[in-house]
Amino acid sequence: MKSAAHLRRPYCCSRLVLTLPFIFIPVFHAVAADDTLVVSAAPQDREGSYSGDNVYSTLKTLTPRNETPQSISIVTPQLIRDFNVTSVDDAVKFVSGVTQGNTLGGIEDGFVKRGFGSNTDGSVFIDGVRSNQGLAMDATTERVDVLKGSSSLLYGILNPGGVINLISKKPQYQWQGRISGRTNSNGGGTGTIDVTGPLGNGVAVRLIAERRHEDYWRNFGEDQHTLLAPSLSWLGDSASFNVAYTENKFDVPYDRGTAFIGGSPIRIPYNERIDDNANHAYGKNKRLTAEYRQEFDGIWETGIKYAWMQRRYDSNEVRATAINPETGIVTRRADANRGFNHQTTYIGWDISGTPELAGMRHDITLGADYEKNETYKAWSFRGKPSKQFNMYHPVYGESPVTTDKTADDAKSNLRATVYSSSLYAKDSIHLNDQWIVVLGGRLQRYTQNGSSGWINHQTTLNDSGSEFVPQAGVVYKLTPELALYSSYSQSFTPSAQVDDDGNVASTEKGQTYELGAKWQTTPTMLTTFALYRIDEKDMSIFMNGLNRNIPKSRSEGAELEINGEFAPGWQIAANYSLNRTQIKEDNLKPQNVGNQLVNAPRNMGSLYLTHTLTVPGLPGELRFGGGGRYVGKRAGDPENSFYLPAYTVTDAFAAWNGTVSGHETQLKLNVNNLLNREYYASSAGNLRVIAGEPRTLFLNASVDF
C-alpha cells in the first residue's frame, strides 16, 4: 500500500496485539475515498532505498546533502526494517566511525563518534531536540541521521564527535495501517500496531502502540516496554502544524557485563552474570513536541518548535568491585537509586530561505533557541562490600537494602541544571553553479547549577559563561554528481568539575578540520569519503575513579560509505573507517601521553547486501540480505591497561512479501550473530565490559490493512 507523494508507509505491529486492527478497520471504512489528500513537502527519500538525501530535519535547511561541507550518514527506513533495527546501537553498525561506548549497564545510549563520546554527552537527539530518554529509539523512529564532527553551530553544547538525530514517523494523508509481531529464540515477543490517515480539512492522525516482553539473552533478566504514541498533523495552503506525544513504560536489565583480569576476560560461561537478578531499571519516558511552520513568498519559511521530555525511573545495581580469579570470589556491593527525574524543556525558532542577493543564491538559516536540562535523584543507597559470591559456583539472591542506614546523603537530593540560550546563523553562498561558500556561527549563553544532600545540603556548582562557535566551509561541484568540500567547525562543552576551592574546570573545546567528497555514483547510489582531524582541549576523562580534564587529545582518520542500489534488485550498505586517537598532553600523568582514547578502534567497517527477486510460480517476491561488521582492537580504559579484542559479527535475513486476502503481508526471519561469535562491545573499566549478544533468531510477521 503506497501513500501519496511518496510519503512513507509505517512499519510496525505485532502478534501480541492481533485483535487491535478490528478496532480500527471500521474507522477506515467510514472514511470516504476522496478524503485522501495529496501533499508535497520537503524532498522525500526514495522508498525502499538504502540511500537517503532528505536531511532537512537534521540540517534545518533544504540544502541538499551534496552541498553540505560536513559528513552526514543516514540509516534509512528500509535498512531499519530489513535488519530488524530496534535500538540506536543496532542502527550505527551501518555508520562509519561510530561504536558503542559506556552504556551504564545497558540502560543508556552511549556512543563513541570519531573517538569522542559518552552516555552523558547529550549527542543523541530526537527530531532535533536533545534527548534524555536513555534508550531513545522506539517504534516511533522512522530513520536515523548521524552528523559527524563538531556540530555546535546547529545544536549548541556538544563534544566534537557529532550528533545522532532520530527522526520520528509523522501522520500521513492516506489511510494505512500495519500490525506486526516478533518472537525470538531467547523467548518472548513484541507486538506493534501503527495506524495513520486523514480526518479531512488538512488534518491527519497517527497512532503507534507497542508491547514488548522479551527474555534477556544472559542467564536472567527481561526487557519490557509498553508504548503509546499518538500524533496529529495539519497541513494548510502555506502552513503546517504537528503535535506528538509518546509515553513509554519500561523495565530493563541493568547488566554491567563481565570483567577483564590480567588483560583477558574471566573464565566463566559467556552468558553468566556476576551481578544479581535484582538488577534492573524501571520507569517511564514521556515526550511532547509541537511545531508550527509557515511558508511565504515561495522563498522563506519560518517555524517555532516546543518540546518537553521527562524520564523518571528507579534502579537496583549489585555491582562487582573486585575479583579474585584464583578463588572465584567476587566482592560486590548492592546499590540502589530512587527518584531519578530527568527533564528537558526546549523552545526554538528559525527562519530559512533561498533569496537572490548580489546576483548570488543564498541558503540562509537564522535561529534562536532556549533549553533547560535538569537531572535529579532523590535517594542513593549504598550497601557494604560482600564477599559471599563465587563466580565459579554462582548462587544469586542478593538485593539492595533501601533504608535510612544505607542512604548516602552526599549522593541524594542530587540536582544538576543547565540553562542555555542561543542565536545562530548559517549561509550557503552559491558563487556560481560550481562554488559554494558556507559561513556560520552560534553565540550561546549558559548557566549551570548543582546541589546535593538532604541533611547536609550544599551547592556543588554555580557557573555561567558564553561561547561563540564558528563554522566555515567550501563546496566545489566538479560535476552535478560529484562534489568536493572542505570545512572547519568548533564545538564546546562546559565542565561540571569543581576543585576544593570551588573553581570550575576549563570548558572543553573541539576543532574539526575535514576534507571530503560526495559522489552520486548512480541515480540510486551515493558514495561519500572524508578525511578529518579533531583536536579537543581540556577533555574530561574518567581515570582512576575520578573525572578530570586533560589538556589535549586528538583524533584523525578517514571514512568511506557506499549506500544504495548498485544493480537492479541489489542494495548495498558499506562503510570503512580508519581512526587514530591519542592523548596528546597530560600534565598530571605524562606517562599517559600517546594512549588511545577508550572504545575507539583503529579500524572498523561493515558490508551488507540485499537482493530482491521473484520466483516463477511463487506469488509475491523474496528478499534476502546479509553481511557483517568488523570492529578492531580498542583501549578498555584511559590508562590503556587492557584492550578489547577485535571482532567480526555477521547477520542475515530472508523475507517473503506478498498478498494474503488482499492485504500486503511480510514473513521474515532475521539471524543476528549468525556464526555465534563471542565478542566484547564496549568497556567502562575492567569490571564493566559489555559482552555482545550471541546468535539470536527473530521471526517477524506483518500485515498491512
Side-chain angles (χ1 to χ4, degrees):
M1 177 177 53
K2 295 185 178 180
S3 55
H6 306 291
L7 295 176
R8 288 178 283 269
R9 64 188 177 188
Y11 15 89
C12 325
C13 316
S14 167
R15 68 185 180 93
L16 301 183
V17 290
L18 290 177
T19 59
L20 288 178
F22 298 103
I23 300 173
F24 292 94
I25 287 173
V27 177
F28 291 154
H29 292 170
V31 178
D34 58 6
D35 277 341
T36 298
L37 177 65
V38 178
V39 298
S40 58
Q44 299 295 313
D45 294 330
R46 183 184 300 269
E47 186 176 359
S49 177
Y50 284 4
S51 176
D53 189 59
N54 178 16
V55 288
Y56 172 80
S57 298
T58 298
L59 297 180
K60 303 182 182 182
T61 177
L62 292 175
T63 302
R65 187 177 176 186
N66 69 343
E67 295 182 1
T68 302
Q70 193 171 355
S71 295
I72 183 167
S73 304
I74 301 175
V75 183
T76 67
Q78 191 63 51
L79 265 172
I80 289 173
R81 190 181 184 197
D82 281 347
F83 289 95
N84 201 35
V85 173
T86 60
S87 68
V88 185
D89 191 58
D90 289 339
V92 298
K93 67 186 178 183
F94 303 107
V95 179
S96 62
V98 183
T99 53
Q100 187 184 100
N102 180 6
T103 65
L104 197 62
I107 68 170
E108 297 277 354
D109 290 318
F111 301 99
V112 173
K113 305 162 293 294
R114 292 182 170 179
F116 301 96
S118 69
N119 56 36
T120 59
D121 63 11
S123 64
V124 178
F125 286 65
I126 301 175
D127 295 320
V129 178
R130 198 182 313 271
S131 171
N132 61 17
Q133 305 286 265
L135 304 175
M137 189 170 186
D138 55 40
T140 67
T141 302
E142 181 174 60
R143 74 169 199 275
V144 179
D145 296 351
V146 183
L147 184 62
K148 311 280 190 65
S150 299
S151 302
S152 287
L153 169 65
L154 294 177
Y155 293 101
I157 296 172
L158 281 173
N159 72 56
V163 168
I164 300 173
N165 189 25
L166 280 61
I167 311 301
S168 299
K169 300 171 182 175
K170 303 297 190 297
Q172 303 293 290
Y173 287 86
Q174 179 173 314
W175 280 111
Q176 51 196 282
R178 174 169 292 166
I179 57 170
S180 63
R182 182 183 79 186
T183 187
N184 68 69
S185 55
N186 296 319
T190 298
T192 315
I193 185 166
D194 185 348
V195 183
T196 185
L199 297 181
N201 298 318
V203 178
V205 296
R206 192 165 197 159
L207 176 66
I208 300 173
E210 182 175 85
R211 171 61 178 162
R212 179 187 300 175
H213 192 154
E214 297 181 343
D215 293 335
Y216 190 45
W217 70 269
R218 304 195 81 184
N219 55 336
F220 53 81
E222 293 180 331
D223 182 359
Q224 298 190 62
H225 293 264
T226 302
L227 177 140
L228 185 67
S231 58
L232 180 146
S233 291
W234 169 78
L235 183 66
D237 291 337
S238 61
S240 63
F241 176 74
N242 179 264
V243 60
Y245 177 75
T246 301
E247 185 169 298
N248 190 358
K249 184 179 180 181
F250 64 89
D251 191 336
V252 296
Y254 201 140
D255 180 12
R256 286 291 195 174
T258 189
F260 273 50
I261 303 296
S264 301
I266 53 178
R267 297 185 178 278
I268 62 174
Y270 187 68
N271 70 330
E272 286 193 359
R273 299 174 60 169
I274 57 175
D275 48 27
D276 220 296
N277 49 28
N279 284 36
H280 69 140
Y282 51 99
K284 183 179 290 185
N285 289 338
K286 297 179 180 180
R287 183 168 77 248
L288 174 67
T289 60
E291 184 174 20
Y292 175 82
R293 301 205 67 81
Q294 177 74 53
E295 299 178 5
F296 48 95
D297 297 334
I299 296 176
W300 293 95
E301 177 182 312
T302 187
I304 186 168
K305 176 184 287 187
Y306 168 83
W308 173 83
M309 300 185 191
Q310 183 188 57
R311 188 188 194 211
R312 303 186 70 173
Y313 73 99
D314 301 328
S315 65
N316 295 336
E317 182 186 7
V318 179
R319 68 176 76 189
T321 60
I323 293 178
N324 185 329
E326 301 295 328
T327 63
I329 297 298
V330 181
T331 304
R332 304 192 304 175
R333 195 179 74 198
D335 298 341
N337 299 289
R338 297 291 183 267
F340 271 112
N341 188 349
H342 300 177
Q343 293 196 73
T344 297
T345 302
Y346 173 89
I347 301 173
W349 167 86
D350 69 83
I351 183 170
S352 60
T354 56
E356 292 280 343
L357 300 172
M360 296 175 291
R361 182 169 69 86
H362 295 249
D363 293 338
I364 298 175
T365 299
L366 307 172
D369 54 36
Y370 166 83
E371 187 176 336
K372 176 186 177 182
N373 286 284
E374 183 179 37
T375 301
Y376 178 74
K377 180 173 64 174
W379 292 100
S380 182
F381 301 94
R382 296 293 181 263
K384 295 181 178 180
S386 170
K387 297 185 178 181
Q388 303 303 308
F389 184 83
N390 190 306
M391 64 182 180
Y392 299 135
H393 307 284
V395 178
Y396 301 99
E398 187 172 0
S399 300
V401 178
T402 56
T403 66
D404 291 345
K405 293 183 178 181
T406 60
D408 187 336
D409 187 67
K411 297 183 184 300
S412 298
N413 195 22
L414 196 67
R415 191 183 304 273
T417 308
V418 180
Y419 307 85
S420 66
S421 54
S422 305
L423 296 171
Y424 62 90
K426 183 180 180 181
D427 187 6
S428 297
I429 308 168
H430 294 248
L431 303 180
N432 53 42
D433 291 340
Q434 291 183 297
W435 288 96
I436 304 170
V437 174
V438 180
L439 299 171
R442 171 184 284 257
L443 179 62
Q444 183 154 347
R445 175 76 180 174
Y446 64 87
T447 299
Q448 48 182 356
N449 302 311
S451 61
S452 67
W454 290 105
I455 300 171
N456 182 27
H457 185 75
Q458 57 181 330
T459 298
T460 57
L461 177 64
N462 189 359
D463 178 52
S464 63
S466 58
E467 293 289 341
F468 176 78
V469 286
Q471 186 180 79
V474 176
V475 178
Y476 175 64
K477 300 185 76 170
L478 188 64
T479 70
E481 295 78 25
L482 176 61
L484 310 177
Y485 71 89
S486 65
S487 64
Y488 169 81
S489 55
Q490 293 184 4
S491 62
F492 79 102
T493 305
S495 177
Q497 299 175 45
V498 181
D499 63 19
D500 294 338
D501 298 321
N503 299 313
V504 181
S506 300
T507 298
E508 300 178 45
K509 294 184 178 181
Q511 301 181 85
T512 298
Y513 307 85
E514 186 169 325
L515 295 169
K518 300 178 183 182
W519 179 28
Q520 195 69 50
T521 322
T522 73
T524 56
M525 186 171 72
L526 179 68
T527 300
T528 64
F529 176 75
L531 298 170
Y532 63 87
R533 193 186 88 185
I534 302 175
D535 289 327
E536 177 82 327
K537 296 181 178 179
D538 296 306
M539 176 183 174
S540 177
I541 62 172
F542 187 78
M543 184 178 292
N544 297 324
L546 298 171
N547 279 302
R548 66 179 181 89
N549 281 19
I550 57 173
K552 186 176 182 180
S553 61
R554 176 172 291 173
S555 171
E556 50 194 355
E559 295 171 346
L560 174 68
E561 293 190 1
I562 305 172
N563 293 279
E565 188 178 40
F566 64 92
W570 285 93
Q571 297 267 1
I572 184 173
N575 68 76
Y576 170 76
S577 61
L578 174 65
N579 181 222
R580 181 172 180 261
T581 65
Q582 58 180 163
I583 295 174
K584 299 294 290 185
E585 298 178 21
D586 189 340
N587 295 337
L588 186 61
K589 291 191 173 183
Q591 63 268 31
N592 289 327
V593 173
N595 283 3
Q596 298 179 24
L597 300 181
V598 179
N599 293 315
R602 176 73 60 91
N603 292 278
M604 182 177 67
S606 68
L607 171 64
Y608 292 86
L609 297 172
T610 299
H611 182 49
T612 303
L613 73 159
T614 58
V615 178
L618 181 69
E621 64 179 24
L622 298 178
R623 191 169 174 88
F624 302 92
R629 187 188 196 204
Y630 170 81
V631 178
K633 185 174 71 172
R634 294 135 289 147
D637 57 12
E639 299 91 345
N640 289 191
S641 66
F642 73 102
Y643 293 84
L644 304 183
Y647 68 86
T648 300
V649 174
T650 56
D651 309 308
F653 78 90
W656 173 81
N657 299 284
T659 301
V660 177
S661 299
H663 299 286
E664 292 187 27
T665 302
Q666 182 184 80
L667 300 175
K668 180 161 64 75
L669 175 67
N670 288 84
V671 185
N672 292 351
N673 194 356
L674 180 66
L675 302 179
N676 202 28
R677 301 296 192 192
E678 295 185 0
Y679 68 100
Y680 302 94
S682 63
S683 168
N686 74 307
L687 299 180
R688 300 174 183 179
V689 177
I690 299 301
E693 189 172 9
R695 179 169 53 232
T696 307
L697 281 69
F698 298 88
L699 183 61
N700 303 266
S702 67
V703 179
D704 292 353
F705 58 93

